Each structure stands twice: as C-alpha cells, then as structure tokens.
Amino acid sequence: MLVHNKWRIIRLLTLVGLSLLLVLLILFIVVMSRTFTLKENLGLQFAQWENTTIISADIIFPNVFSSSLVKHEVVGNYSHLFTVLGTDPELVPYMLLAHIDVVPANEVDGWEAPPFSAKELNGFIYGRGTIDNKQCVMGILQAVEYLLERGYVPRRGFYIGLGHDEEVYGYNGAVNIAKVLKSGGVKLQYILDEGLAVMDGIITGLNGPAALIGVSEKGQATVKLSASTRLGHSSMPPKENSIGILAAAITRLEESPMPRLFGYGPEQSTFEHLAHKFQFPLRFMMSNLWLFNPLLSRVMERRPDMNAFVRTTTAVTMFNSGVKVNVLPSHAEAFVNLRIHPAQTLQEVLDLIKSTISDNRVKLELVDGFDSLPISSYDEQSFGYQIIKKTLLDMFPQVTVAPSICIGNTDSRHYMDLTQDIYRFNPTWLRPGEPERIHGINERMSVQNYEEIVLFYFQLIQESDIRILPPSHTGQHEL
Ligand SMILES: CCCCCCCC/C=C\CCCCCCCC(=O)NCC(=O)O
Ligand SMILES: [Zn+2]
Ligand SMILES: [Zn+2]
C-alpha cells in the first residue's frame, strides 16, 4: 500500500513538473516569435552589430503602432500597409511609399564604415539603404509619430506602403499591397514614392539647387544572353568558345550605345523649367532644345548620370561561365539591364539589341521588361504636384522645382490602377559625387538632411489636408 502511494506521488510530481515545463516552453515560443516577427518583418531595426542591440519598430514609433487612427497590416509576409484615417470621408486619400529592402553591400569593396553599422562619421550616417530607401521609411514613420504625439488628426486620410522587395521588382510587396487597396475600392488623389532628389551642384551651369520631381520613370529591360559550345580539354581548344562568343557580343553592345533621344521625353520640360537658372548662352540653348539637342546630348552623354537622361542605357551587370581552368566552358551567360528612354519602346530596344549583336549563336531571352511609365500631371491644378512643390518651397525657398523623369524604377508602377498622379521624389540632397553612392560604396545620409526629410513629410501630410488648391497665381483657374 505504502509503495503504491509512493509511486502515485512520484507520478503526480512528474506530471506537474512536465506541465510546468510545457507552459514555460509555450511562453518562450510566444515571446520569441513576437520579437522575430517585428524584427524580421519591419527591417526597421537599428542594429549595432558589435553589441547586437536591436530595437523593434513599435518601440521607436509607439504612437504609430498604438493609435486608433492607424491600422497596420503585414502584406505579402514582409511588407507593410498603414491606413491612417481622415475625418473628412469626402476627401480622396493619398499614399506615401517607400521600401525596406536594400541591394547587397560588402565592406571589402571600400566602405569607410561597415555597411550595416549605421555608423556616424562627420555628421553622416553610413550604411546601405541610407539614401535608398531607409531615409524615407524612417522619415515617413517619424513624421507620423511626431504628428500623433502632438494630437494631430488628419482631415484627409492617407496610406503608407512599405514594400520589402522593391529592388527585385516588387512582385510580392507592392503588387500585393496594391491588390489589397484595389479590392477595397480605394482610389488615390496622388502617390509620392522614392525617386529623384534635390540636385545641388550636379547640373553643370545651373545656378542654385534643383528639386527634380519624377513625373514619369524610364522603362526597363533585363535581357539574358547566352552562348553554348562543346565541352572538352583546354589543350585542344576550338577557335572560339562560349565565353569568347558572348564577350564579343557584349563588346558590340557596349560599343554601340542606344540612339540619343534627349529632348523627346519629359526631360524637355525639366530644362524648360530650369532654363532661367542658367547663364547665357546655356539659358538660350536650354530654352531651344529643338535646335540644340544634338549639341547638348553630346556634352551630357559624357557623364553617366546625365547620359541617363539622353538615351536608353545599357549595363552588363552579370556574367557567369567556366568551371575549371583546364575545361572548355560549355556555357556562358550574361545579364544586360537597360533603362528605356520614353521615346523608345521595349520592343524597339529588343530589336536593336538583336541587330547589334547580329550573331545567331547568341541566344536572347527577355527576363523582365516594361515601357516607360505615363506622365503624371504637373500643371497649376495638379493637387499632388502643387502640394509637394509648396512643401518644398516653404522649406527650401532657394530651390527651383521642376518635373523630370526618374531614371531608376520604383514600386509605384504597381499602383497605376489606383491613381493617375504618381510622383517620385524625396528631399535627399545630392551633391557632386553622391549619385554614385546609390547602390555603390559609402552610401550615406547627413544627420541634417535626415531631419529635413522628417520635416518634409511632417509638413506634406498637413499640407495635404487642404480641401482644394488655392487659385493659381495666373488667376485663370478658380477651383
Ligand atoms: C537632368 C539633370 C540630371 C542630373 C543628374 C541626376 C542624377 C541622378 C540622381 C539620382 C537618381 C536616383 C534614382 C533613384 C531611384 C532608384 C530606385 C531604385 O534603385 N530602384 C531599383 C532599380 O531601379 O533597379
Ligand atoms: Zn529604392
Ligand atoms: Zn535601389
């Protein structure tokens, strides 16, 4: 009887012990999964890798994540959609976009600070993404945080979309956020996404800085080229093998740039808006592009950043071949990334590549591509454009604002069904040598400029509350 009781007590104690362990395990899993979801999904963590301090987004932006005015949804597993309610349902909402993903970075390429350290050096925060596009992610959320903290209640509702795969076409992030909005019947007054910037000392001959607002963006084509030849011993090589054939094709492409088209796209309007800020004779030339295009194109094409406005650009970005030093390569492949000028179509570009290569042994495959995007309005009645312009001029009266074409691509193209007016801009100040840092080494953002970006969104959100634009200064259009 005594032995029997002893076993019953042992069994009971074991059961209690095991249950306790199970509860602890469940608690641990819940806490850990919550931490990881926030960390991994938002990608907003400030990580100081040396001591691995990680702070998640709801700690940095407590009001954004707790306000009854803000609804937060995770879309496509890692992207974020914030819906901010406005008090006036009559006002068509607008949307701010940014992306949380970045292109790769490797310290050994010559970074002055580790690319994922966010280290501050001489007033600049160094890190991959600091100007593409974490400055907007953090700038938008920080602005909303400050507004909510001050008790601000928007009159016009707005959305914030933070994509997680912009650098790889946005098919899971932006595409799904747009689907969510579309299924809810949402229409947008305007969209503001990443894009062009404030050019300070970048445009040769221009007096003062220029804020270029992307009212369109170039098209894009990614083309895979490949060649195949016989595998074999390197001691008995044929006259040409797959590497040589493909290299020759690539050389032909690089030596035959696409035609000059400067002045046949929105860049014509850019220079018309900027013309008065150039000295004679440049002022005269910029105002008469129809006559001076050929000359100006030849000067501009010498600089890669300016050349992007002149033509469809051709960049060979990847090349793979070979397995061993003494084995003939049976296969070589390369990827060419082209940014299509609006005066050319994707099909025209593909035809030109084919005729330039002019070698049937080289196979051409279109990996992805699209034409340049429609031009958004930028006249006196254009709500979004004028709100962005006013916000900018209030902050930086010395800047000349001009419509332009974004030479890189953005998530905003996936939202085309929701609005006619998409603008690609943020007030990142770019000075000589800085455009090269985008996707390059030593990407950085000055602390001062980051503060300006926060202030820009802070003001823009409030400016967007206006019901209608005031009458234009020409007095021709009363709204
Ligand atoms: C007409 C005067 C031209 C002045 C020189 C302009 C210098 C250009 C500076 C900045 C352009 C930045 C484009 C940024 C958008 C890039 C977004 C991105 O990386 N998207 C992915 C992709 O395009 O592959
Ligand atoms: Zn970007
Ligand atoms: Zn980018």
Side-chain angles (χ1 to χ4, degrees):
M1 183 70 184
L2 213 65
V3 172
H4 188 66
N5 267 348
K6 188 177 145 201
W7 279 115
R8 273 181 65 184
I9 290 166
I10 289 174
R11 261 215 323 267
L12 199 73
L13 281 176
T14 317
L15 217 68
V16 170
L18 280 174
S19 310
L20 254 167
L21 263 176
L22 196 71
V23 170
L24 279 174
L25 191 71
I26 289 170
L27 263 171
F28 179 74
I29 289 171
V30 168
V31 170
M32 286 314 282
S33 69
R34 186 177 143 71
T35 316
F36 275 113
T37 314
L38 284 168
K39 279 185 212 165
E40 300 303 321
N41 285 358
L42 278 163
L44 291 172
Q45 66 274 41
F46 289 129
Q48 294 159 315
W49 299 117
E50 292 97 55
N51 57 9
T52 57
T53 309
I54 294 181
I55 310 166
S56 59
D58 60 345
I59 294 171
I60 309 172
F61 308 115
N63 285 290
V64 173
F65 284 89
S66 65
S67 167
S68 59
L69 295 174
V70 185
K71 179 177 155 202
H72 170 233
E73 292 164 78
V74 174
V75 179
N77 289 330
Y78 304 103
S79 285
H80 298 268
L81 171 61
F82 297 85
T83 305
V84 185
L85 295 177
T87 52
D88 189 344
E90 297 285 298
L91 299 184
V92 182
Y94 62 100
M95 185 160 195
L96 304 175
L97 296 180
H99 64 89
I100 59 181
D101 58 317
V102 294
V103 291
N106 200 333
E107 194 175 349
V108 298
D109 288 334
W111 285 74
E112 285 164 39
F116 295 99
S117 66
K119 190 168 171 184
E120 206 180 310
L121 287 176
N122 307 318
F124 287 89
I125 304 160
Y126 279 71
R128 173 59 83 228
T130 47
I131 50 173
D132 178 15
N133 183 240
K134 304 284 188 190
Q135 86 279 32
C136 294
V137 172
M138 300 302 272
I140 294 169
L141 292 176
Q142 189 64 70
V144 177
E145 177 66 22
Y146 282 151
L147 284 165
L148 294 170
E149 200 178 275
R150 286 160 176 70
Y152 167 78
V153 178
R155 190 186 297 157
R156 188 185 294 274
F158 61 99
Y159 297 92
I160 301 166
L162 306 179
H164 71 272
D165 57 351
E166 188 276 342
E167 298 290 0
V168 284
Y169 299 112
Y171 291 138
N172 288 312
V175 164
N176 282 313
I177 296 179
K179 265 190 201 155
V180 170
L181 296 179
K182 240 171 120 176
S183 68
V186 171
K187 285 284 167 206
L188 298 168
Q189 183 72 42
Y190 76 92
I191 285 180
L192 176 61
D193 196 359
E194 65 164 338
L196 294 173
V198 183
M199 309 296 165
D200 188 14
I202 301 255
I203 306 174
T204 315
L206 185 81
N207 291 326
L212 302 185
I213 300 177
V215 294
S216 172
E217 63 187 59
K218 290 179 93 177
Q220 187 181 159
T222 298
V223 179
K224 180 178 165 184
L225 304 178
S226 57
S228 298
T229 46
R230 188 179 54 83
L231 198 69
H233 199 289
S234 60
S235 61
M236 301 166 280
K239 211 168 146 245
E240 283 177 298
N241 70 38
S242 57
I243 293 182
I245 293 167
L246 196 57
I250 285 170
T251 303
R252 280 198 287 282
L253 274 184
E254 286 193 332
E255 286 176 350
S256 326
M258 292 281 167
R260 295 181 188 95
L261 295 168
F262 180 65
Y264 296 97
E267 72 279 359
Q268 180 180 18
S269 217
T270 311
F271 284 94
E272 278 168 10
H273 279 74
L274 298 180
H276 68 287
K277 287 284 183 172
F278 286 94
Q279 302 284 3
F280 185 81
L282 273 178
R283 177 184 302 195
F284 183 69
M285 292 167 93
M286 297 297 178
S287 316
N288 293 284
L289 286 186
W290 61 274
L291 182 61
F292 293 102
N293 271 348
L295 181 64
L296 284 170
S297 308
R298 281 174 172 76
V299 177
M300 287 177 70
E301 69 185 6
R302 292 190 203 149
R303 250 177 58 186
D305 52 357
M306 294 286 218
N307 182 45
F309 292 83
V310 172
R311 56 165 48 88
T312 296
T313 51
T314 308
V316 183
T317 48
M318 289 164 77
F319 196 115
N320 300 313
S321 189
V323 287
K324 197 168 180 309
V325 289
N326 59 354
V327 177
L328 294 170
S330 68
H331 188 75
E333 61 182 43
F335 288 85
V336 187
N337 187 249
L338 302 107
R339 302 303 170 115
I340 304 171
H341 189 279
Q344 240 177 353
T345 64
L346 170 63
Q347 192 52 53
E348 285 167 351
V349 167
L350 295 176
D351 292 345
L352 252 171
I353 296 176
K354 198 163 187 284
S355 63
T356 304
I357 292 177
S358 188
D359 184 341
N360 287 336
R361 295 170 300 174
V362 178
K363 190 173 154 198
L364 256 86
E365 289 163 81
L366 177 65
V367 179
D368 207 323
F370 48 89
D371 286 319
S372 70
L373 296 165
I375 301 177
S376 303
S377 69
Y378 54 89
D379 57 20
E380 299 281 350
Q381 289 80 50
S382 170
F383 186 87
Y385 188 83
Q386 293 304 333
I387 292 291
I388 296 167
K389 183 174 170 182
K390 178 174 188 312
T391 308
L392 260 169
L393 290 178
D394 284 350
M395 285 182 68
F396 309 111
Q398 74 278 30
V399 153
T400 309
V401 180
S404 191
I405 179 157
C406 188
I407 57 176
N409 294 114
T410 71
D411 266 348
S412 66
R413 71 180 182 281
H414 300 302
Y415 296 80
M416 280 199 307
D417 291 342
L418 301 170
T419 184
Q420 295 200 324
D421 284 333
I422 298 178
Y423 304 101
R424 300 125 181 116
F425 172 81
N426 66 80
T428 300
W429 281 65
L430 292 179
R431 302 199 164 86
E434 298 196 326
E436 292 92 300
R437 296 178 192 263
I438 308 172
H439 292 199
I441 57 165
N442 291 316
E443 188 178 349
R444 65 181 195 183
M445 156 66 55
S446 76
V447 174
Q448 182 195 325
N449 196 184
Y450 175 62
E451 286 170 7
E452 288 162 346
I453 288 170
V454 175
L455 186 61
F456 170 79
Y457 288 115
F458 184 85
Q459 304 284 50
L460 181 95
I461 291 168
Q462 294 175 84
E463 295 286 354
S464 295
D465 271 346
I466 195 167
R467 286 203 171 84
I468 49 171
L469 291 174
S472 70
H473 64 268
T474 58
Q476 286 165 351
H477 304 279
E478 300 292 324
L479 285 174

Coordinates of all heavy atoms in Angstrom, one line a residue, residues 166-216:
E166 N 11.3 45.8 -53.4 CA 11.4 46.8 -54.5 C 12.6 46.6 -55.4 O 12.5 46.7 -56.6 CB 11.4 48.2 -53.9 CG 11.3 49.3 -54.9 CD 12.6 49.7 -55.7 OE1 13.7 49.4 -55.1 OE2 12.5 50.3 -56.7
E167 N 13.7 46.2 -54.8 CA 15.0 46.0 -55.6 C 14.9 44.8 -56.5 O 15.8 44.5 -57.3 CB 16.2 45.9 -54.6 CG 16.4 47.2 -53.8 CD 16.9 48.4 -54.6 OE1 17.0 48.3 -55.8 OE2 17.1 49.5 -54.0
V168 N 13.9 44.0 -56.3 CA 13.7 42.8 -57.2 C 12.3 42.8 -57.8 O 11.6 41.8 -57.8 CB 14.0 41.5 -56.5 CG1 15.5 41.2 -56.3 CG2 13.3 41.4 -55.1
Y169 N 11.9 44.0 -58.2 CA 10.6 44.2 -59.0 C 9.4 44.4 -58.2 O 8.3 44.7 -58.7 CB 10.5 43.2 -60.1 CG 11.6 43.1 -61.1 CD1 12.4 42.0 -61.2 CD2 11.7 44.2 -62.0 CE1 13.5 42.0 -62.1 CE2 12.7 44.1 -62.9 CZ 13.6 43.0 -63.0 OH 14.6 43.0 -63.9
G170 N 9.4 44.1 -56.9 CA 8.2 44.4 -56.1 C 7.0 43.5 -56.3 O 5.8 43.8 -56.0
Y171 N 7.2 42.3 -56.8 CA 6.1 41.4 -57.2 C 5.4 40.9 -55.9 O 4.2 40.5 -56.0 CB 6.6 40.3 -58.1 CG 6.9 40.8 -59.5 CD1 8.1 40.3 -60.1 CD2 6.2 41.7 -60.1 CE1 8.4 40.7 -61.4 CE2 6.5 42.2 -61.4 CZ 7.7 41.7 -62.0 OH 8.0 42.2 -63.2
N172 N 6.0 40.7 -54.8 CA 5.3 40.2 -53.6 C 4.9 41.3 -52.7 O 3.8 41.2 -52.1 CB 6.2 39.3 -52.8 CG 6.4 38.0 -53.6 OD1 5.5 37.4 -54.0 ND2 7.7 37.5 -53.7
G173 N 5.6 42.4 -52.6 CA 5.3 43.5 -51.7 C 4.3 44.5 -52.3 O 3.1 44.4 -52.1
A174 N 4.8 45.4 -53.2 CA 3.9 46.4 -53.8 C 2.7 45.8 -54.5 O 1.6 46.3 -54.4 CB 4.8 47.3 -54.7
V175 N 3.0 44.8 -55.2 CA 1.9 44.2 -56.0 C 0.7 43.8 -55.1 O -0.4 44.0 -55.3 CB 2.4 43.0 -56.9 CG1 1.2 42.1 -57.4 CG2 3.2 43.5 -58.0
N176 N 1.1 43.1 -54.0 CA 0.0 42.7 -53.0 C -0.6 43.8 -52.2 O -1.8 43.8 -52.0 CB 0.6 41.6 -52.1 CG 0.7 40.3 -52.8 OD1 -0.3 39.9 -53.5 ND2 1.8 39.6 -52.8
I177 N 0.2 44.8 -51.9 CA -0.4 46.0 -51.2 C -1.4 46.6 -52.2 O -2.6 47.0 -51.8 CB 0.7 47.0 -50.8 CG1 1.6 46.5 -49.8 CG2 0.0 48.3 -50.2 CD1 2.7 47.4 -49.3
A178 N -1.0 46.8 -53.4 CA -2.0 47.4 -54.4 C -3.2 46.6 -54.5 O -4.3 47.1 -54.6 CB -1.3 47.6 -55.8
K179 N -3.1 45.2 -54.5 CA -4.2 44.3 -54.6 C -5.2 44.6 -53.4 O -6.4 44.6 -53.6 CB -3.8 42.9 -54.6 CG -3.6 42.3 -56.0 CD -3.4 40.8 -55.9 CE -2.7 40.3 -57.2 NZ -2.0 39.1 -57.0
V180 N -4.6 44.7 -52.2 CA -5.4 44.9 -51.0 C -6.3 46.2 -51.2 O -7.5 46.2 -51.0 CB -4.6 45.0 -49.7 CG1 -5.4 45.4 -48.5 CG2 -3.9 43.7 -49.4
L181 N -5.6 47.2 -51.6 CA -6.3 48.5 -51.8 C -7.3 48.4 -52.9 O -8.4 49.0 -52.7 CB -5.2 49.6 -52.1 CG -4.2 49.9 -51.0 CD1 -3.3 51.0 -51.4 CD2 -4.9 50.3 -49.7
K182 N -7.0 47.8 -54.0 CA -7.9 47.7 -55.1 C -9.2 46.9 -54.7 O -10.3 47.3 -55.0 CB -7.2 46.9 -56.2 CG -7.1 47.8 -57.5 CD -6.3 47.1 -58.5 CE -7.1 46.8 -59.8 NZ -6.2 46.2 -60.8
S183 N -8.9 45.8 -53.9 CA -10.1 45.0 -53.5 C -11.0 45.8 -52.6 O -12.2 45.5 -52.5 CB -9.7 43.7 -52.9 OG -9.1 44.0 -51.6
G184 N -10.5 46.8 -51.9 CA -11.3 47.7 -51.1 C -11.8 48.9 -51.8 O -12.4 49.8 -51.2
G185 N -11.7 48.9 -53.1 CA -12.2 50.0 -54.0 C -11.5 51.3 -53.7 O -12.1 52.4 -54.0
V186 N -10.3 51.3 -53.3 CA -9.6 52.6 -52.9 C -9.2 53.3 -54.2 O -8.7 52.7 -55.2 CB -8.3 52.3 -52.1 CG1 -7.5 53.5 -51.9 CG2 -8.7 51.7 -50.7
K187 N -9.4 54.6 -54.2 CA -8.8 55.5 -55.3 C -7.9 56.5 -54.6 O -8.3 56.9 -53.5 CB -9.9 56.2 -56.0 CG -10.7 55.3 -57.0 CD -9.9 55.0 -58.3 CE -10.5 53.9 -59.1 NZ -9.5 53.2 -59.9
L188 N -6.9 56.9 -55.2 CA -5.9 57.8 -54.5 C -5.8 59.1 -55.3 O -5.8 59.2 -56.5 CB -4.5 57.1 -54.4 CG -4.5 55.8 -53.6 CD1 -3.2 55.1 -53.8 CD2 -4.7 56.1 -52.2
Q189 N -5.7 60.2 -54.5 CA -5.5 61.6 -55.1 C -4.1 61.6 -55.7 O -4.0 62.1 -56.8 CB -5.6 62.6 -54.0 CG -5.5 64.0 -54.4 CD -6.7 64.5 -55.1 OE1 -7.9 64.2 -54.8 NE2 -6.5 65.2 -56.2
Y190 N -3.1 61.2 -55.0 CA -1.8 61.1 -55.6 C -0.9 60.1 -54.8 O -1.3 59.7 -53.6 CB -1.1 62.5 -55.6 CG -0.7 63.0 -54.3 CD1 0.7 62.8 -53.9 CD2 -1.5 63.8 -53.5 CE1 1.1 63.3 -52.6 CE2 -1.1 64.3 -52.2 CZ 0.2 64.0 -51.8 OH 0.7 64.5 -50.6
I191 N 0.2 59.7 -55.4 CA 1.2 58.9 -54.7 C 2.5 59.6 -54.7 O 2.9 60.2 -55.7 CB 1.3 57.5 -55.4 CG1 0.0 56.6 -55.1 CG2 2.5 56.8 -55.0 CD1 0.1 55.3 -55.8
L192 N 3.2 59.5 -53.6 CA 4.6 60.0 -53.5 C 5.5 58.8 -53.2 O 5.3 58.2 -52.1 CB 4.7 61.2 -52.5 CG 6.1 61.7 -52.3 CD1 6.7 62.3 -53.6 CD2 6.2 62.8 -51.3
D193 N 6.4 58.5 -54.0 CA 7.3 57.4 -53.8 C 8.8 57.9 -53.8 O 9.0 59.1 -54.1 CB 7.1 56.4 -54.9 CG 7.7 55.0 -54.5 OD1 8.3 54.9 -53.5 OD2 7.6 54.1 -55.4
E194 N 9.7 57.1 -53.6 CA 11.1 57.4 -53.7 C 11.4 57.8 -55.2 O 10.5 57.6 -56.0 CB 12.0 56.2 -53.4 CG 11.8 55.0 -54.5 CD 12.8 54.0 -54.5 OE1 14.0 54.2 -54.0 OE2 12.5 52.9 -54.9
G195 N 12.6 58.3 -55.5 CA 12.9 58.7 -56.8 C 14.0 59.7 -56.9 O 15.0 59.6 -56.4
L196 N 13.6 60.9 -57.6 CA 14.6 61.9 -57.8 C 14.8 62.7 -56.5 O 14.2 62.4 -55.5 CB 14.2 62.8 -59.0 CG 14.2 62.1 -60.3 CD1 13.7 62.9 -61.4 CD2 15.7 61.6 -60.7
A197 N 15.7 63.7 -56.6 CA 16.1 64.3 -55.3 C 16.4 65.8 -55.6 O 16.1 66.3 -56.7 CB 17.4 63.6 -54.9
V198 N 17.0 66.4 -54.6 CA 17.4 67.8 -54.8 C 18.9 67.8 -55.3 O 19.8 67.3 -54.6 CB 17.4 68.6 -53.5 CG1 17.8 70.1 -53.7 CG2 16.0 68.6 -52.8
M199 N 19.1 68.3 -56.5 CA 20.4 68.3 -57.1 C 21.1 69.6 -56.8 O 20.7 70.6 -57.2 CB 20.3 68.1 -58.7 CG 19.4 67.0 -59.1 SD 20.0 65.4 -58.7 CE 18.6 64.4 -58.9
D200 N 22.2 69.5 -56.1 CA 22.9 70.7 -55.6 C 24.3 70.6 -56.2 O 25.2 69.9 -55.7 CB 22.9 70.7 -54.1 CG 23.5 72.0 -53.6 OD1 23.6 73.0 -54.4 OD2 23.8 72.1 -52.4
G201 N 24.5 71.4 -57.3 CA 25.8 71.5 -57.9 C 26.0 70.3 -58.8 O 27.1 70.0 -59.3
I202 N 25.0 69.6 -59.2 CA 25.1 68.4 -60.0 C 24.8 68.7 -61.5 O 25.5 68.2 -62.4 CB 24.0 67.3 -59.6 CG1 24.2 66.9 -58.1 CG2 23.9 66.1 -60.5 CD1 24.8 65.6 -57.8
I203 N 23.9 69.7 -61.7 CA 23.6 70.0 -63.1 C 24.5 71.2 -63.5 O 24.4 72.3 -63.0 CB 22.1 70.4 -63.3 CG1 21.2 69.3 -62.7 CG2 21.8 70.7 -64.7 CD1 19.7 69.5 -62.7
T204 N 25.5 70.9 -64.4 CA 26.5 71.8 -64.8 C 25.9 73.1 -65.3 O 25.0 73.0 -66.2 CB 27.4 71.2 -65.9 OG1 27.7 69.9 -65.5 CG2 28.7 72.0 -66.1
G205 N 26.3 74.2 -64.8 CA 25.9 75.5 -65.3 C 24.6 76.1 -64.6 O 24.2 77.2 -64.8
L206 N 23.9 75.2 -63.8 CA 22.7 75.7 -63.2 C 23.0 76.5 -61.9 O 23.8 76.0 -61.1 CB 21.8 74.5 -62.8 CG 20.5 74.8 -62.2 CD1 19.5 75.2 -63.4 CD2 19.9 73.7 -61.4
N207 N 22.4 77.6 -61.8 CA 22.6 78.4 -60.6 C 21.6 78.0 -59.5 O 20.4 78.0 -59.7 CB 22.3 79.9 -60.8 CG 23.4 80.5 -61.7 OD1 24.6 80.1 -61.7 ND2 23.0 81.4 -62.6
G208 N 22.2 77.5 -58.4 CA 21.3 77.1 -57.3 C 20.9 75.6 -57.4 O 21.0 75.0 -58.5
P209 N 20.3 75.1 -56.3 CA 19.8 73.7 -56.4 C 18.5 73.5 -57.1 O 17.7 74.4 -57.2 CB 19.7 73.3 -54.9 CG 19.6 74.6 -54.2 CD 20.1 75.7 -55.0
A210 N 18.3 72.3 -57.6 CA 17.0 72.0 -58.3 C 16.4 70.8 -57.7 O 17.1 69.7 -57.6 CB 17.3 71.8 -59.8
A211 N 15.1 70.9 -57.4 CA 14.4 69.7 -56.9 C 13.7 69.1 -58.1 O 12.7 69.7 -58.6 CB 13.4 70.1 -55.8
L212 N 14.1 67.9 -58.5 CA 13.5 67.3 -59.7 C 12.5 66.3 -59.2 O 12.8 65.3 -58.5 CB 14.6 66.6 -60.5 CG 15.7 67.5 -61.1 CD1 16.6 66.7 -62.0 CD2 15.2 68.7 -61.8
I213 N 11.2 66.5 -59.6 CA 10.2 65.6 -59.2 C 9.9 64.7 -60.4 O 9.5 65.1 -61.5 CB 8.9 66.4 -58.8 CG1 9.2 67.3 -57.7 CG2 7.7 65.5 -58.5 CD1 8.1 68.2 -57.2
G214 N 10.0 63.4 -60.2 CA 9.8 62.4 -61.2 C 8.3 62.3 -61.6 O 7.6 61.7 -60.8
V215 N 7.9 62.8 -62.7 CA 6.5 62.7 -63.1 C 6.3 61.4 -64.0 O 5.2 61.1 -64.4 CB 6.0 63.9 -63.8 CG1 6.0 65.1 -62.8 CG2 6.8 64.3 -65.0
S216 N 7.4 60.8 -64.3 CA 7.4 59.5 -65.0 C 8.6 58.7 -64.6 O 9.5 59.2 -63.8 CB 7.4 59.8 -66.5 OG 7.5 58.6 -67.2

